[in-house]
Amino acid sequence: MRLLRTPEDRFTDLPDFDYPALYADVDHPLDGIIRVGYVEAGPPDGPTVLLLHGEPTWSYLYRRMLPVLADAGIRAVAPDLVGFGRSDKPAEIADHSYERHVEWLRTFAFDALDLRDVVLVGQDWGGLLGLRLAAENLDRFAGVVAANTGLPTGDQSMPEAWWSFHDAVENAQVLDIARFVQSGCRRSLTEPERAAYDAPFPNEMYKAGPRAMPALVPTSPDDEATEANRSAWRTLTESDLPFLCAFSDGDPITEAMGPILRRAMPGAAGREHPTIENAGHFLQEDGGEELARVVAGFVRSLG
């Protein structure tokens, strides 16, 4: 596997994101050593929250949430998925698979950082991967916050808005990362913020990850990831793992998943599941502080 590494100078002067860059080596039996970038905020001995981003963002997406969580006494860990942010980037689209991304995350979180009693916060692919990770490592997790995400198996049809995004990525000669992020936000990103989302990708060669992800979502019952996702559903719906849904009020891609998760997950029963108002798909941009307060309250409720 040929890996690309974004030059560090691409990440200088990022607005509102002055956290030290941290790195962990993920040693995969087939892929070799891959460097994963991440940031942390909050006390090292506080309860741990794992913040997982999606497509085509990176940990910069959580900059509005990190200080709120840290002030609440929470250790917030925000990694960059392999192929995104400061993490190494496999150069070929074919290098990316659902299974590989789950394993890269598992190795990062549990082998490299040895995280325990973790509360997952997953949005977009952060949930698609994180819910699999939780189902396959239940003993490591204290709870889940699902935010504009789901766990598709290919047994149900995807919404038209998602197919529009899928086709736009597939057909783009030049993948405009910042434009795709802006299209999922209610607020207007500043030029420096747009530049921060473009920063991990100096040119098209670095964008195999963002180009690959839409095609990895299971869209038919015989998809490569379908059986593993079905198994994850069975595990999660038979578990009492505390589960909170915090979806926005303006995301046509994932809005149908919120009620399904609330009904299906035993750990969601009896909880008040908040709606983050005036927010789009990337609710961390539109309502990050509010979402962080929701997460902090959920962590406190777990004792």
Side-chain angles (χ1 to χ4, degrees), residues 76-153:
V77 179
D80 299 325
L81 298 182
V82 172
F84 297 79
R86 291 185 172 100
S87 292
D88 284 347
K89 296 168 180 65
E92 304 299 329
I93 291 176
D95 292 334
H96 295 265
S97 73
Y98 204 132
E99 188 66 36
R100 264 180 165 157
H101 275 280
V102 172
E103 180 61 17
W104 287 330
L105 267 178
R106 186 202 66 77
T107 309
F108 164 79
F110 306 139
D111 292 353
L113 268 61
D114 194 27
L115 301 180
R116 298 175 185 274
D117 297 320
V118 180
V119 171
L120 165 72
V121 178
Q123 183 264 339
D124 190 88
W125 264 100
L128 272 70
L129 298 171
L131 291 173
R132 271 276 299 274
L133 191 69
E136 295 169 7
N137 302 272
L138 276 177
D139 60 323
R140 292 280 188 155
F141 285 88
V144 169
V145 178
N148 287 3
T149 193
L151 186 62
T153 62

Side-chain angles (χ1 to χ4, degrees), residues 24-58:
D25 286 337
V26 168
D27 191 357
H28 190 279
L30 297 179
D31 305 329
I33 295 177
I34 297 175
R35 192 177 78 164
V36 172
Y38 68 105
V39 296
E40 277 199 30
D45 59 349
T48 303
V49 168
L50 181 64
L51 304 168
L52 298 184
H53 72 85
E55 154 85 343
T57 60
W58 60 294

